[in-house]
């Protein structure tokens, strides 16, 4: 029989109160929302963040990332020129009535110019020109986007086009968009700077950057999105006092709501959420009972540090427990895994780390085992 351990004492880090795991300390009108710590990649807050959703023009982050990757591999040069097709003009240019770079058929922009058109102007024509020029068709390019996304661990991604225009089954989760932002910043810092440009011009046509966070303290990217099917969304990132946080919101009902909620979520990301590292030497765990051993208990400890992320208020209402792998029975060797420490914060899935024995316990001899069994019978313990 597994035994539930006593309440744990985590000195100066966690108070012990029971808190429901699924409740949220903050809420947002966004249908999907994520706050991520950039350095660790830890998700600090998630509202349906793992669910695939329609990303709209936030798709273009992946379009750009794939082209960055191809340039890095030597498959493309930023100075390469691609020809604008009638198809790209019709589906993504001014005739489409959608976000455009203002290209016309037979224009020959460079890869670098097209990337600016994608990142700053959100040009659907620029995306299609890149897709057709690189892979021969948008479908083939989108397949490559999905393949690269999966290689990078973005398992929820399923891209059917390069633009983010509505296409049934074209999805990615908010958490994976945050991870894509991290990949972009870490892998291509020299190109990430383009996300911070306030505007870009192609010939006489100038389009300001639609990101409402630019101008907010520390904000330097990334991308907005909007479709009737998705609502208004944004992936944004900022750095303050050496700490970078990334937010993703989607499913808001207006541009104004997106702007105000993006700023609020970014403020919360820095002010209300934090990471704590619980080192094995900074936590005292209770000894665990051992059956049929020459010692009745064995000291235990964390096998490795634990990184706990969450709302600051949640740390005062954490629930902690040791869950044994099975009832401990001698012999036990020092260093053996005996269970796991589970810490639950409001609004977060439980976090756990292995617990190991800090001493060896030898098995009782025959008479010792018999006495131990008799004692258990007398005490009514069913073992």
């Amino acid at each position: 029989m597994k035994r539930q351990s006593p309440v744990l004492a985590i000195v100066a880090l966690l108070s012990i109160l029971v808190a429901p795991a699924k409740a949220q300390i903050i809420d947002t009108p966004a249908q999907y929302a994520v706050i991520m710590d950039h350095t660790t990649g830890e998700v600090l807050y998630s509202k349906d963040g793992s669910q695939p959703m329609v990303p709209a023009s936030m798709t273009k982050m992946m379009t750009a990332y794939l082209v960055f990757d191809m340039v890095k591999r030597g498959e493309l040069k930023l100075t390469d020129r691609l020809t604008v097709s009638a198809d790209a003009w019709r589906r993504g240019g001014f005739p489409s009535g959608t976000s455009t770079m203002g290209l016309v058929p037979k224009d020959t922009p460079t890869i670098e110019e097209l990337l600016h058109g994608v990142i700053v102007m959100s040009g659907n024509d620029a995306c299609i020109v890149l897709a057709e020029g690189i892979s021969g068709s948008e479908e083939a390019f989108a397949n490559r986007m999905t393949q690269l996304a999966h290689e990078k661990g973005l398992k929820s991604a399923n891209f059917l086009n390069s633009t983010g225009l509505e296409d049934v089954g074209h999805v990615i989760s908010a958490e994976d968009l945050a991870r894509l932002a991290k990949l972009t910043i870490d892998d291509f810092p020299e190109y990430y700077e383009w996300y911070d440009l306030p505007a870009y011009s192609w010939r006489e046509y100038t389009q300001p950057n639609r990101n409402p966070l630019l101008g907010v303290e520390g904000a330097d990217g990334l991308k907005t999105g909007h479709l009737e099917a998705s609502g208004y969304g944004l992936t944004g990132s900022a750095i303050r006092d050496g700490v970078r946080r990334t937010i993703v919101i989607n499913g808001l009902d207006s541009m104004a709501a997106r702007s105000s909620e993006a700023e609020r979520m970014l403020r919360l990301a820095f002010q209300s959420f934090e990471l704590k590292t619980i080192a094995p030497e900074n936590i005292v765990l209770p000894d665990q009972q051992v059956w049929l051993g020459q010692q009745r208990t064995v000291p235990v400890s964390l096998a490795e540090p634990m990184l706990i992320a969450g709302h600051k208020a949640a740390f005062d209402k954490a629930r902690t427990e040791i869950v044994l792998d099975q009832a401990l029975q001698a012999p036990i060797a020092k260093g053996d895994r005996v269970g796991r420490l589970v810490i639950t914060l409001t609004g977060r899935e439980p976090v756990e780390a292995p617990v190991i024995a800090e001493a060896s316990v030898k098995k009782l001899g025959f008479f010792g085992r018999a006495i131990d069994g008799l004692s258990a019978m007398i005490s009514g313990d069913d073992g």
Side-chain angles (χ1 to χ4, degrees):
M1 180 183 75
K2 291 184 179 179
R3 295 178 176 272
Q4 188 173 6
S5 70
V7 174
L8 308 178
I10 302 182
V11 178
L13 283 176
L14 297 171
S15 298
I16 308 304
L17 294 172
V18 175
K22 298 295 183 180
Q24 294 286 6
I25 287 182
I26 70 167
D27 198 8
T28 171
Q31 184 177 355
Y32 306 93
V34 164
I35 297 173
M36 175 179 284
D37 177 72
H38 179 83
T39 301
T40 63
E42 282 288 313
V43 174
L44 307 179
Y45 171 82
S46 181
K47 179 181 178 181
D48 289 333
S50 63
Q51 299 302 310
M53 64 179 190
V54 177
S57 282
M58 292 183 284
T59 296
K60 295 180 173 87
M61 292 163 54
M62 191 68 216
T63 302
Y65 186 90
L66 173 54
V67 179
F68 296 156
D69 187 66
M70 295 178 72
V71 171
K72 182 177 181 178
R73 293 172 181 272
E75 298 178 46
L76 296 172
K77 294 179 181 178
L78 291 177
T79 54
D80 289 344
R81 292 186 177 273
L82 299 178
T83 301
V84 179
S85 68
D87 175 63
W89 170 73
R90 184 176 58 255
R91 292 195 296 117
F94 285 122
S96 70
T98 65
S99 301
T100 182
M101 182 177 172
L103 301 170
V104 297
K106 298 185 180 179
D107 274 344
T108 56
T110 65
I111 296 288
E112 182 171 348
E113 289 168 335
L114 288 166
L115 283 168
H116 281 77
V118 170
I119 291 168
V120 183
M121 305 174 84
S122 198
N124 292 320
D125 48 358
C127 293
I128 298 170
V129 171
L130 285 167
E132 292 178 343
I134 291 171
S135 297
S137 71
E138 193 172 9
E139 179 182 8
F141 186 83
N143 287 339
R144 188 163 179 177
M145 288 169 63
T146 300
Q147 180 181 354
L148 180 59
H150 290 179
E151 289 173 3
K152 296 296 182 178
L154 314 180
K155 299 303 183 182
S156 70
N158 186 50
F159 297 114
L160 301 178
N161 60 57
S162 62
T163 61
L165 291 172
E166 189 169 354
D167 206 339
V168 177
H170 182 100
V171 294
I172 188 173
S173 72
E175 290 181 7
D176 277 348
L177 280 178
R179 295 183 184 105
L180 176 56
K182 176 176 169 58
L183 287 166
T184 300
I185 295 166
D186 289 347
D187 295 348
F188 304 108
E190 68 274 32
Y191 304 139
Y192 177 65
E193 295 177 357
W194 296 348
Y195 280 96
D196 195 24
L197 293 175
Y200 188 70
S201 298
W202 172 253
R203 298 200 173 113
E204 72 282 357
Y205 179 60
T206 298
Q207 172 64 54
N209 197 318
R210 291 179 172 86
N211 186 346
L213 287 178
L214 298 185
V216 175
E217 180 189 355
D220 52 15
L222 294 154
K223 193 73 191 69
T224 60
H226 171 247
L227 285 172
E228 185 176 343
S230 67
Y232 289 82
L234 178 143
T235 300
S237 190
I239 186 166
R240 297 178 185 175
D241 298 324
V243 175
R244 179 177 288 280
R245 296 277 160 85
T246 296
I247 66 163
V248 180
I249 52 176
N250 204 17
L252 291 156
D253 59 9
S254 70
M255 189 180 297
R258 174 177 65 191
S259 179
S260 62
E261 189 60 13
E263 191 166 347
R264 187 182 79 94
M265 291 296 285
L266 194 63
R267 183 174 66 253
L268 290 172
F270 287 101
Q271 293 181 355
S272 300
F273 289 86
E274 64 181 335
L275 297 164
K276 289 183 183 290
T277 300
I278 302 175
E281 61 270 21
N282 292 335
I283 178 173
V284 178
L285 302 181
D287 293 354
Q288 298 297 301
Q289 186 171 1
V290 178
W291 297 106
L292 305 179
Q294 293 184 7
Q295 291 81 40
R296 295 291 187 177
T297 61
V298 61
V300 297
S301 67
L302 271 180
E304 59 194 38
M306 294 182 74
L307 183 66
I308 312 296
H311 194 283
K312 291 179 180 178
F315 284 91
D316 293 330
K317 299 180 180 180
R319 184 181 66 195
T320 65
E321 61 180 338
I322 291 178
V323 179
L324 298 178
D325 293 335
Q326 59 186 7
L328 299 185
Q329 184 170 316
I332 295 171
K334 182 178 180 179
D336 281 353
R337 173 183 163 132
V338 297
R340 62 192 190 277
L341 177 66
V342 181
I343 300 180
T344 305
L345 270 68
T346 302
R348 300 299 313 277
E349 294 297 323
V351 179
E352 58 184 57
V355 170
I356 58 173
E358 276 295 304
S360 297
V361 179
K362 294 181 179 179
K363 192 173 184 178
L364 284 170
F366 173 77
F367 289 108
R369 294 198 302 273
I371 293 172
D372 207 43
L374 180 60
S375 297
M377 291 177 60
I378 294 172
S379 66
D381 196 326
D382 61 7

